[in-house]
Every structure is written in structure tokens, then in C-alpha cells.
């Protein structure tokens, strides 16, 4: 399984905080997004992380990985 | 190097006093630079009644630690401290504290500034403001 | 704007807590930058046992106040605080505290840095170190 | 009278913290120094203040003024 998490305004937009998708084959972060968003385009400014590290859309994701999507950070 | 994500209010000056007391290199640091961020009661023209700080547990701690480690690689510092608030906050609550202990002031200032700038750019926190009428996500930080 | 020359030890974090508590513009400051200088137990290759801070009463207060006023002219700050120790000090004693409260961090950092750099260049204080063997006047400050 | 004060290493070198000199005529800071130091040259790096403000050697000093001589400052 691959765990997919959403934060902040993106969590509200998705209507949920997390998805779990099967991990029968490796795929890119962009493909994970296409799957959970049912083909909706990558939102402007959306950031992604794999296993708690920032990742670009091309990064490969494997079974057991945790992927996260979120808007620009605004801490501090 | 100490990092802490705090779900309840904290007093930055007490945290600094406590941390400095525990610093074992007594007599070695000559310079401490610190920054404290506090919730104001207005932002971008709107009165802010309260705010929620959401974050990504796990990734947050990883990035706060990495930022401290990077500062220690770039400058000859003795110690660094980051405390960041999470959860429900109200005006005058402390949001963040960054502090650096070093032999001299140039590296203390530079490293302290690095901690807060990198934290604002990379640590996965998001601000959700409760306004007088309605609520909104903060879209971007004030430039440093 | 508050300036204070202190002939006995002071705790910088208590001074900051007290000053901030008294700040009437609650909800207006979002950024506090501070610098604390502490006596180290060595300097320029020598072990320092103690130090005496001599100053020029009257001129000192005038310059500390002027430096705060200049910072307030250069940057949109809400308040500034300088506390400087005088007299006999021992390692780990606080020598100086400069702090600035502002709406945003850029001006808080810039003004805080200005306070300490100008203080070191212009405020009439002189350091006399007691070494293991003998004593000496400090001839110049570390560059900022 | 003009009050003349010395600080730090200069105070030690002068062997006293203060002099008082008559103020029958106005004179420059350099002339005050020559008088209290009995003609010794202006020490390298020595700074001067008149009435608690930095002053250069040419500044005029009048009756009632307070002049101070001291080495480079090392506070902070």
C-alpha cells in the first residue's frame, strides 16, 4: 500500500486527510496525484513530499511509501 | 541542537532561560541571537481573532532538525534551539522561537536569521486565520 | 524605548519578559529580535577570570538613547530595549542585551543588529580583563 | 572652570581621573590636551568628548564645559 496525505487547503479541497492506494506497480508522484485526484491537473503551487522529504513530480514511489500533497508552507 | 513542536502556549523567555541553563559549555558562548514570532491581531488589512497552525508531524521535526544541522555546518555555532507552536493560537501568543549560541555575534546573528528564513520556506506548517467574518488560509509568508 | 545601565548582575530573559509584559501595543508586534552578549572565560588566547566594565556615566546613557532613537528613525519599529552591565563581572555573566519589537522580522533583525553594532562603536564602555596572570585593557572589539 | 576627565587606560596613564583647569579664555580640545598633558603629543587612537558628545581636536571649549579623553571604546 501507498499512503497519500493531504494538508491545509488541499485537505479541505480533497474532502479527506488521507487515501490508501494499492502499490502493485511503482509509479511517479505525478501518477499518484492523477490517481487520487481522478485526472484533475496538478494545482498551481502544490508541493509534494515522499517519506517526509520534498519530492518533484517525477520521483518514483514504491510500496510502503508515504506521499503527501500540500499548498506552500506558511509557518514561523 | 534542540527542536520542539509545542501544542500548548509557551513562554519564549522561559524556554531560553531553561535551555541556556542546561548548556554545558559554560564560559564558551559570548553571543546569543534570538528571534520570537508572535501572532498579531491583524494581517493584510483584516482583524485576526484566532489562528490554527496545522503541520505535518514527522516531516516537521525532520526539517527543523535538518535546518539546525545546516546552520551548524555553515557557521561555527555552539548550540541552536527552535520551538514552534501548533494548534489553536490567539493574538499575543508566541508562534515560533529560534535561538543560536556562538562565540561571536556575527555567526550568532547569521545562523539565527538562517533558522527562521529556512523554517518559513521549508517547514511544513500552514496558518488558518479566524477573522471577524469567516476564515481563510494564509497563502504566503511576509518576505524576510 | 528603554535603556538601562546595570551595576549588578541581570537575567536577560527576565528583562525581556518584564519589558514585553509592559508593552502596551498588545497584538501589534509580530517579531522580536534580540541579542545577548555574555562574558566568555577566554579571549585572544588567554583565560579570563573576571572583568571590570568601566563607563562614562552621563555620556553612556546619552549614546544608548541616541542609538535607540536612530534605529526608530531608520526602521518602523515599535519598541527597543538596551540593558548594559557595568562594574565587576565574571564568566557567564550577561554583559549586554539589545532587543527590538516590530511588526515584521526584517526590521526587527536589522534594528537589533544596528543597536549592538553602534553600541560597540560609540557607547563609552571599556573592558579591563583579569587574567590568570595579570590584567589588561581590551584594545578593540571583535568585528561584527 | 573646565572639567577634564580621563577613562580606562588613559586614566591609569594620567594617574588621575580628573583635572580642573581655568577657563579665562576659550581654547580647542587639542589645547586642553596640551595643557593637561604638559605638552605630550595626542596619543594614537585617543578619543575626546565635550559635554558627553564626541568632539574633534579643533572643537572650541568654553567655561563650564566638561571635556573627556579616553581610548577606543570596547563595550557590548
Amino acid at each position: 500500500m501507498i499512503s497519500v496525505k493531504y494538508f491545509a487547503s488541499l485537505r479541505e479541497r480533497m474532502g479527506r486527510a488521507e487515501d490508501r492506494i494499492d502499490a502493485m506497480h511503482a509509479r511517479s508522484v505525478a501518477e499518484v496525484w492523477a490517481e487520487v485526484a481522478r485526472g484533475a491537473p496538478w494545482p498551481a503551487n502544490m508541493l509534494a513530499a515522499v517519506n517526509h522529504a520534498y519530492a518533484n513530480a517525477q520521483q518514483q514511489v514504491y510500496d510502503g511509501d508515504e506521499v503527501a500533497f500540500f499548498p506552500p508552507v506558511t509557518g514561523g | 541542537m534542540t527542536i520542539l513542536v509545542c501544542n500548548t502556549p509557551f513562554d519564549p523567555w522561559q524556554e531560553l532561560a531553561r535551555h541556556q541553563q542546561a548548556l554545558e559549555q559554560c564560559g564558551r558562548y559570548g553571543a546569543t541571537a534570538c528571534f520570537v514570532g508572535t501572532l498579531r491581531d491583524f494581517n493584510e488589512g483584516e482583524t485576526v481573532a484566532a489562528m490554527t497552525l496545522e503541520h505535518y508531524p514527522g516531516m516537521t521535526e525532520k526539517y527543523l532538525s535538518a535546518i539546525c544541522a545546516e546552520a551548524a555546518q555553515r557557521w561555527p555555532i555552539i548550540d541552536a534551539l527552535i520551538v514552534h507552536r501548533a494548534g489553536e493560537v490567539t493574538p499575543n501568543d508566541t508562534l515560533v522561537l529560534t535561538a543560536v549560541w556562538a562565540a561571536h555575534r556575527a555567526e550568532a546573528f547569521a545562523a539565527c536569521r538562517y533558522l527562521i528564513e529556512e523554517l518559513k520556506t521549508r517547514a511544513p506548517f500552514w496558518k488558518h486565520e479566524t477573522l471577524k467574518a469567516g476564515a481563510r488560509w494564509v497563502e504566503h509568508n511576509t518576505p524576510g
Side-chain angles (χ1 to χ4, degrees), chain A, chain B:
Chain A
M1 295 294 279
I2 292 165
S3 162
V4 187
K5 294 186 167 184
Y6 316 108
F7 291 95
S9 57
L10 196 78
R11 174 176 48 70
E12 291 187 343
R13 183 167 161 179
M14 297 297 282
R16 56 194 186 275
E18 190 167 359
D19 278 316
R20 289 176 177 275
I21 60 176
D22 85 88
M24 298 296 280
H25 58 284
R27 75 203 92 181
S28 69
V29 167
E31 287 164 337
V32 170
W33 172 254
E35 189 169 337
V36 296
R38 289 175 196 138
W42 186 282
N45 295 325
M46 187 176 76
L47 301 173
V50 174
N51 299 333
H52 296 164
Y54 284 101
N56 62 33
Q58 287 69 51
Q59 187 168 324
Q60 288 297 297
V61 177
Y62 302 94
D63 190 22
D65 282 353
E66 178 172 306
V67 180
F69 295 106
F70 44 80
V73 301
T74 56
Chain B
M1 309 292 158
T2 305
I3 63 115
L4 184 64
V5 178
C6 204
N7 289 296
T8 52
F10 71 96
D11 181 316
W13 319 119
Q14 276 182 18
E15 293 294 327
L16 285 160
R18 183 181 311 152
H19 192 81
Q20 184 160 304
Q21 211 155 37
L23 252 188
E24 281 164 30
Q25 287 108 333
C26 282
R28 283 193 49 208
Y29 59 89
T32 311
C34 33
F35 174 79
V36 177
T38 306
L39 183 60
R40 296 189 306 150
D41 58 13
F42 66 95
N43 187 29
E44 295 185 1
E46 297 276 0
T47 297
V48 176
M51 194 170 76
T52 304
L53 274 163
E54 182 173 336
H55 78 114
Y56 183 178
M59 184 168 171
T60 302
E61 292 80 359
K62 175 177 172 168
Y63 274 79
L64 296 183
S65 296
I67 290 164
C68 283
E70 290 161 18
Q73 279 193 317
R74 284 172 182 244
W75 294 279
I77 68 177
I78 292 167
D79 204 6
L81 170 66
I82 300 179
V83 184
H84 202 298
R85 182 69 191 281
E88 301 288 324
V89 292
T90 51
N92 282 315
D93 277 2
T94 301
L95 302 177
V96 65
L97 160 66
T98 66
V100 171
W101 287 260
H104 301 292
R105 70 191 184 286
E107 56 255 33
F109 270 110
C112 183
R113 190 78 200 260
Y114 181 86
L115 293 185
I116 187 66
E117 296 306 322
E118 293 296 313
L119 181 160
K120 282 180 173 268
T121 311
R122 293 156 62 201
F125 285 94
W126 301 275
K127 288 174 176 149
H128 188 253
E129 292 174 343
T130 305
L131 306 175
K132 270 199 168 166
R136 66 180 175 195
W137 288 97
V138 177
E139 300 281 337
H140 53 78
N141 270 322
T142 311

